[in-house]
């Protein structure tokens, strides 16, 4: 059987980062920056008040209490030039330009709030409550580097340096297609031999959680021709496709029967549990990557975490590799088959211990839903005593 590491390596060698494009800021959230973003001028561009209060000279309030005449008001956004002379004060609002001559701002809370004159109860050192020009960013300074994922704060600084559009790698568009004649849409009644489809919902949610755009397609039965028709219809909006089911060794395996003859998708046994049957390749004129995952719910989700999520990171232009692990000490003994890397569902606690959940079958979705980690047992290990240090992958 093929190793987990070799299968992931083949996937990452095949997928490519998406081509950059320019987007309006409103559409850039979650994308990956594909250019440098620099400040064209200092931020803030002028000295301004950090608080509502009074702009004064520090030497005039060296001894308090003191009463000063208020000679002017200055609001945020004001473009009039103002000045403060000796023994005077200017009422100032948060964000307003600091008048010439003033070197400190006294918060209104330290005063009586007067408008014609103000009684100041506390002294303030030079520079108090003043945001200096260039204090955040200097003109020409790099504020974001290529490869940065654009979140709310990153979007804010792009707008803050005056940019309306930005060059990014877009979020991959991923179509999720579940197969199986037994599948019924949730909300509809079950007939004999039927189950409600959960895989397409799980995988679409996993795609979105990974930072891509997930599109759930209608389920397909066991007819390979119908599957191909559905796949062709979905490729126009897909940067990648995920299927679940139809990849095992038995009869009625529509994904394997439909894609196998194309010669661009390989179906292999990967030395892992759960999730041994795997398929991967490219389809269509645009060579769209397709991940053919097994149909058991736990198998498909574990496969997504190990193989699809790293591939989506590479498509986004981000560093990609095996999922990050951390060390924990297992509570309870574990068993694993020889020659396969096991990914057991567990609950990772804040004290650095991890406990396997009850129900490790690849069909036991409820047990997966109660887990927050995968316990990794290497291929050459069959018995793990309680208390042993193990590697875990956070879910």
């Amino acid at each position: 059987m093929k190793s987990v590491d070799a299968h992931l390596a083949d996937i990452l060698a095949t997928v490519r980062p998406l081509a950059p494009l320019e987007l309006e800021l409103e559409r850039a959230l979650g994308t990956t920056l594909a250019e440098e973003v620099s400040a064209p001028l200092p931020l803030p561009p002028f000295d301004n008040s950090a608080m509502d209060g009074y702009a004064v000279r520090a030497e005039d309030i060296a001894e308090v209490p003191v009463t000063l005449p208020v000679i002017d008001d200055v609001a945020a956004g004001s473009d009039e030039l103002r000045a403060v002379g000796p023994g005077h004060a200017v009422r100032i609002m948060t964000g307003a330009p600091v008048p010439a001559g003033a070197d400190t701002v006294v918060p209104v809370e330290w005063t009586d709030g007067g408008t014609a004159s103000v009684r100041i109860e506390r002294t303030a050192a030079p520079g108090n409550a003043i945001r200096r020009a260039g204090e955040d960013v200097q003109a020409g300074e790099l504020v974001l580097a290529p490869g940065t994922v654009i979140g709310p704060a990153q979007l804010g600084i792009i707008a803050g340096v005056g940019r309306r559009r930005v060059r990014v790698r877009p979020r991959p568009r991923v179509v999720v297609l579940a197969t199986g004649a037994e599948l019924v849409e949730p909300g509809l009644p079950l007939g004999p031999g039927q189950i409600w489809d959960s895989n397409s919902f799980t995988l679409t949610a996993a795609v979105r959680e990974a930072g891509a755009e997930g599109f759930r397609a209608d389920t397909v039965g066991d007819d390979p021709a119908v599957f191909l028709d559905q796949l062709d219809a979905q490729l126009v909006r897909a940067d990648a496709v995920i299927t679940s089911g139809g990849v095992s060794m038995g009869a009625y395996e529509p994904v394997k029967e439909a894609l196998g003859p194309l010669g661009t998708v390989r179906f292999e046994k990967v030395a892992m549990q759960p999730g041994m049957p795997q398929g991967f390749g490219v389809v269509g004129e645009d060579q769209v990557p397709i991940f053919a995952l097994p149909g058991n719910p736990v198998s498909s989700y574990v496969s997504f975490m190990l193989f699809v999520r790293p591939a989506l990171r590479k498509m986004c232009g981000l560093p990609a590799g095996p999922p990050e692990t951390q060390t924990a000490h297992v509570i309870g003994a574990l068993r694993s088959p020889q020659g396969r890397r096991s990914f057991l569902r567990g609950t990772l606690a804040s004290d650095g211990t991890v406990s396997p959940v009850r129900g490790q079958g690849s069909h036991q979705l409820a047990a997966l839903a109660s887990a927050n980690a995968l316990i990794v047992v290497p291929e050459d290990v069959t018995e793990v005593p309680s208390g042993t240090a193990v590697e875990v992958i956070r879910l």
Side-chain angles (χ1 to χ4, degrees):
M1 288 187 288
K2 188 179 185 181
S3 72
V4 172
D5 296 333
H7 191 60
L8 177 59
D10 286 347
I11 290 171
L12 294 181
T14 301
V15 300
R16 296 287 180 265
L18 298 182
L21 50 81
E22 197 170 72
L23 292 180
E24 296 282 341
L25 290 189
E26 290 86 349
R27 298 177 56 203
L29 183 67
T31 63
T32 306
L33 191 63
E35 64 170 321
E36 293 185 344
V37 175
S38 300
L41 45 79
L43 294 182
F46 53 87
D47 291 357
N48 68 88
S49 178
M51 304 183 72
D52 293 340
Y54 298 85
V56 299
R57 301 192 317 163
E59 62 186 86
D60 290 336
I61 60 169
E63 295 184 9
V64 291
V66 63
T67 299
L68 301 176
V70 178
I71 61 171
D72 209 343
D73 283 1
V74 57
S78 173
D79 59 358
E80 297 181 18
L81 298 177
R82 290 177 169 83
V84 174
H88 296 99
V90 167
R91 195 163 65 142
I92 192 168
M93 308 306 158
T94 302
V98 176
D103 61 1
T104 190
V105 171
V106 180
V108 68
E109 293 84 359
W110 299 359
T111 76
D112 65 355
T115 56
S117 65
V118 60
R119 178 180 171 86
I120 298 173
E121 306 286 350
R122 291 174 56 180
T123 188
N128 184 70
I130 294 177
R131 303 165 177 155
R132 296 297 184 187
E135 185 178 276
D136 187 11
V137 178
Q138 295 291 324
E141 184 178 342
L142 180 72
V143 295
L144 290 176
T148 300
V149 177
I150 300 178
Q154 291 73 32
L155 201 65
I157 190 59
I158 295 170
V161 299
R163 295 285 297 273
R164 192 67 183 80
R165 298 172 64 86
V166 65
R167 189 169 175 80
V168 300
R169 296 191 189 276
R171 295 190 297 162
R173 300 165 301 167
V174 184
V175 171
V176 176
L177 181 57
T179 68
E182 74 279 14
L183 299 181
V184 174
E185 189 78 7
L188 298 179
L190 292 180
Q194 294 181 326
I195 60 172
W196 285 300
D197 169 37
S198 62
N199 281 3
S200 63
F201 290 91
T202 302
L203 294 172
T204 303
V207 166
R208 293 170 181 166
E209 189 179 59
E213 296 186 45
F215 301 98
R216 177 181 171 268
D218 292 337
T219 59
V220 175
D222 291 337
D223 188 331
V226 174
F227 168 78
L228 277 181
D229 288 342
Q230 174 75 301
L231 179 62
D232 288 340
Q234 297 296 330
L235 286 179
V236 295
R237 62 169 178 171
D239 297 309
V241 175
I242 302 172
T243 68
S244 69
V247 298
S248 296
M249 301 299 294
Y252 307 109
E253 303 293 348
V255 176
K256 195 171 185 179
E257 292 177 33
L259 300 182
L262 299 181
T264 59
V265 180
R266 295 182 61 181
F267 293 89
E268 302 172 286
K269 292 182 178 180
V270 176
M272 59 186 285
Q273 181 174 297
M276 181 179 67
Q278 296 285 335
F280 174 75
V282 294
V283 291
E285 293 182 1
D286 295 330
Q287 302 288 281
V288 175
I290 184 168
F291 302 85
L293 307 183
N296 279 321
V298 179
S299 300
S300 65
Y301 182 66
V302 169
S303 300
F304 178 92
M305 294 296 296
L306 297 179
F307 305 127
V308 185
R309 190 179 178 97
L312 294 180
R313 285 185 57 83
K314 183 169 182 180
M315 295 175 74
C316 290
L318 299 172
E324 291 186 3
T325 64
Q326 66 182 80
T327 302
H329 288 83
V330 66
I331 296 178
L334 305 176
R335 300 184 66 182
S336 178
Q338 176 70 37
R340 296 191 199 179
R341 189 178 305 177
S342 287
F343 299 91
L344 304 173
R345 281 65 70 200
T347 303
L348 182 64
S350 58
D351 63 359
T353 61
V354 63
S355 304
V357 300
R358 291 189 61 186
Q360 293 290 334
S362 59
H363 64 291
Q364 292 178 295
L365 189 56
L368 175 65
S370 69
N372 65 3
L374 297 176
I375 306 169
V376 184
V377 182
E379 292 86 341
D380 58 350
V381 176
T382 58
E383 302 282 345
V384 179
S386 182
T388 302
V390 295
E391 295 300 304
V392 298
I393 300 169
R394 283 186 175 271
L395 296 180

